[in-house]
Amino acid sequence: MPSHEAATSGLLRAALDGGADVLELGVPFSDPLADGATVQRASEIALRQGISLAECLAEAATIVRDRDATVLLMGYANPFLRYRGGLNGFASDAAHAGVAGIIVPDLPSEESAEFDAALDPEGLARIDLYAPTTPDERLARLVPRARGFVYCVSLTGVTGARRALGADVAEFVGRVRRHTSLPIAVGFGISAPEHVASLRSVADAVVVGSAALDAVSAAHADRRAEALRAFVSSLAAAGRA
Amino acid sequence: MITKTRPGRYGEFGGQYLPETLMPAVAELEAAWLDARADAEFQRELARVLRDWVGRPTPLTDAPRLASAVGLARVLLKREDLAHTGAHKINSAVGQALLAKRMGKRRIVAETGAGQHGVASAYYLLGSAIGPHPYPAMVRDFQTVIGREAREQCLARLGDLPDVVVACVGGGSNAIGIFSAFIDDANVKLVGVEAGGEGIASGKHAASIVGGSVGVLHGSRTLVLQDEQGQIRETHSVSAGLDYPGVGPEHAALGQAGRVRYAARTDREALDAFALLSRTEGIIPALEPAHAIAELSAIARDAAAQNVLVCLSGRGDKDLEIVMREGVIR
């Protein structure tokens, strides 16, 4: 999540230096119902500083320009809907900023038509999330429509670092892979190199959110960027080995 | 009158703005609810519990001294305050609990903002006509007993339908429950009263329809109180039950369609109405329906409004401390 301490751009660079292939920038929202304590707290801090979607776009534009980074915005439906100019205004500004796409955790396929109508013409992807609870019939219907990559949520629950990943992640990803040739990323709970290593033969990418935020907040104020770089680097190494 | 484009949609409002993880759960819930609705045995069991344990049907009480005080010919109070637990909430709680049992759920989660763990074994019991489909439709369905009884009771008492039906609106469950029986009665005016707090202009209120705008909150597209960034605002009301920054999507649609007139009454007006009903009729209302009582004088200004039905959604024992602190009772 961005903040006014100007720490954000330093952190984004650190993540890239550590080997991140894609950056997910969180848009704060007052009611983040899919998130656990870590992301909730980060969102609260950002909101207290008055961070807006416009500022998130500005932050994204800078890192895209400076490092040619692939940036996704992660946020809930309401702030996107209420953006100046509505969804069309947002899509236009996001495309100008060089954002690659968005992830909207409270927007299931059934409710996504107006978002897709605004995003598609601007070449922006809306990344769908699928869960272990999604039945095959639903996967068969919806996964073929996915854009960019397919985001598989590894567990039934909210975001937050976990010690162990769900036992059935491989089985779940297998069920999804039958319906797409797009890359599949697994996220939620991933917090350690062992998790990444265990997913090497299962997924094409991993998404790490809360654990990265934890690494940042655990570090001393002027060592946060380095702590993040080192953390990302350890995960990237486990993904390559 | 309201275009139901698909189940769970009321014009542009409603829907299921939920994480993918929960989509199968609400689909299962909707299927189970529709199945139970069509099952005569389930309906019989529900009716039995509502009759023998909740104490239905609740009476319709004439309030002649109140009517006189506000300038109306007749005021009829639908006494949800006399239901077991002292409020209309029990109607939907019982219905959803029986449904959960029928679905084989072992645990109930009720409005603690609990996480999504145990989605399979637990059932989320939502207390108002808000949230993702099927909750608004289901809660309306369980609360519609209020309106069905009241409509029959009015016909028996007045020999006619009331001119106006008025109810307080927080999330909107008691209001949709009583309104639902009269929606198709074109000559019956419907009035929903929201929490005006310290006044709409002050920004310190909880009137999502009167003072809000379109947004997505808690799984549904509806009218919410939000800032320019789409962040949901803090709300203020002397009554906890109306203190919510959103409203049921069906109410948003009814307001937009002009079928229901939504108004807001302030904390002070609700407190005065609390005292008025207590003194004139010896009935202590909860502060929530006191907002509906507070709207009666305004309703009386319309000469065509003579007989008014009020949903007295709960009793006010729980509010005595607040009321004494505010100096309404000495």
Side-chain angles (χ1 to χ4, degrees), chain B residues 229-252:
Chain B
Q229 307 299 328
Q231 305 301 342
I232 307 302
R233 293 204 332 237
E234 283 294 323
T235 52
H236 299 266
S237 172
V238 69
S239 66
L242 302 185
D243 201 352
Y244 179 64
V247 71
E250 191 170 0
H251 283 291

Side-chain angles (χ1 to χ4, degrees), chain B residues 309-323:
Chain B
L309 168 66
V310 181
C311 188
L312 202 68
S313 55
R315 66 178 194 238
D317 314 43
K318 63 180 177 67
D319 296 319
L320 286 173
E321 232 182 275
I322 296 176
V323 160

Side-chain angles (χ1 to χ4, degrees), chain B residues 195-207 210-212 225 233 236 264-267 269:
Chain B
E198 294 176 27
I200 301 294
S202 77
K204 291 194 171 155
H205 60 85
V210 172
L225 293 171
R233 293 204 332 237
H236 299 266
R265 287 289 150 196
T266 63
D267 288 350
E269 288 167 328

Side-chain angles (χ1 to χ4, degrees), chain A residues 28-31 33 47 52 78-79 81-82 105-106 108 110-111 114 129 131 133-134 138 156-158 162, chain B residues 6 9 15-21 23-24 116-117 213-218 221 226 228-232:
Chain A
F29 181 49
S30 52
D31 294 67
L33 51 72
L47 283 176
S52 64
N78 206 50
L81 287 167
R82 300 300 302 186
D106 60 342
E110 284 81 346
E111 304 295 356
E114 63 176 336
L129 293 107
T133 48
T134 312
R138 197 173 162 76
T156 306
V158 296
R162 308 296 210 281
Chain B
R6 54 183 174 86
R9 277 278 167 182
Q16 297 174 310
Y17 290 84
L18 287 176
E20 176 57 39
T21 315
M23 292 302 283
Q116 299 150 332
H117 295 285
S213 51
V214 182
V216 172
L217 177 66
H218 300 154
R221 187 194 207 96
Q226 58 189 324
E228 327 70 53
Q229 307 299 328
Q231 305 301 342
I232 307 302

Side-chain angles (χ1 to χ4, degrees), chain A:
Chain A
M1 300 260 170
S3 80
H4 278 313
E5 284 138 22
T8 307
S9 69
L11 291 174
L12 294 176
R13 277 158 229 278
L16 291 172
D17 291 341
D21 300 289
V22 177
L23 296 173
E24 200 189 283
L25 194 55
V27 180
F29 181 49
S30 52
D31 294 67
L33 51 72
D35 286 305
T38 303
V39 177
Q40 280 182 44
R41 240 179 276 121
S43 194
E44 263 169 51
I45 293 170
L47 283 176
R48 252 185 269 127
Q49 297 181 11
I51 302 293
S52 64
L53 177 49
E55 289 182 74
C56 293
L57 283 174
E59 199 68 66
T62 304
I63 197 77
V64 166
R65 185 194 64 224
D66 291 350
R67 298 284 293 263
D68 192 26
T70 303
V71 177
L72 297 169
L73 291 184
M74 202 291 291
Y76 290 81
N78 206 50
F80 290 120
L81 287 167
R82 300 300 302 186
Y83 187 78
R84 183 194 60 230
L87 287 174
N88 290 326
F90 167 74
S92 170
D93 288 357
H96 273 115
V99 167
I102 63 175
I103 301 173
V104 191
D106 60 342
L107 197 73
S109 205
E110 284 81 346
E111 304 295 356
S112 65
E114 63 176 336
F115 273 74
D116 292 341
L119 297 167
D120 287 349
E122 298 284 356
L124 292 158
R126 187 183 52 79
I127 308 299
D128 271 326
L129 293 107
Y130 293 97
T133 48
T134 312
D136 285 332
E137 165 284 313
R138 197 173 162 76
L139 290 175
R141 228 183 333 121
L142 303 177
V143 172
R145 298 199 228 141
R147 290 268 215 277
F149 66 89
V150 178
Y151 190 148
C152 286
V153 168
S154 72
L155 46 80
T156 306
V158 296
T159 61
R162 308 296 210 281
R163 267 199 294 275
L165 296 187
D168 47 2
V169 178
E171 185 265 331
F172 166 48
V173 174
R175 283 197 294 127
V176 173
R177 213 178 268 292
R178 266 181 246 141
H179 306 286
T180 185
S181 52
L182 290 176
I184 293 179
V186 172
F188 279 44
I190 296 169
S191 63
E194 308 87 79
H195 298 156
V196 178
S198 73
L199 289 168
R200 247 184 5 236
S201 55
V202 172
D204 304 300
V206 292
V207 184
V208 183
S210 298
L213 292 174
D214 288 339
V216 167
S217 64
H220 194 272
D222 36 273
R223 289 210 268 280
R224 288 191 173 140
E226 174 49 31
L228 181 61
R229 190 210 59 77
F231 179 64
V232 174
S233 178
S234 71
L235 298 178
R240 274 194 308 270

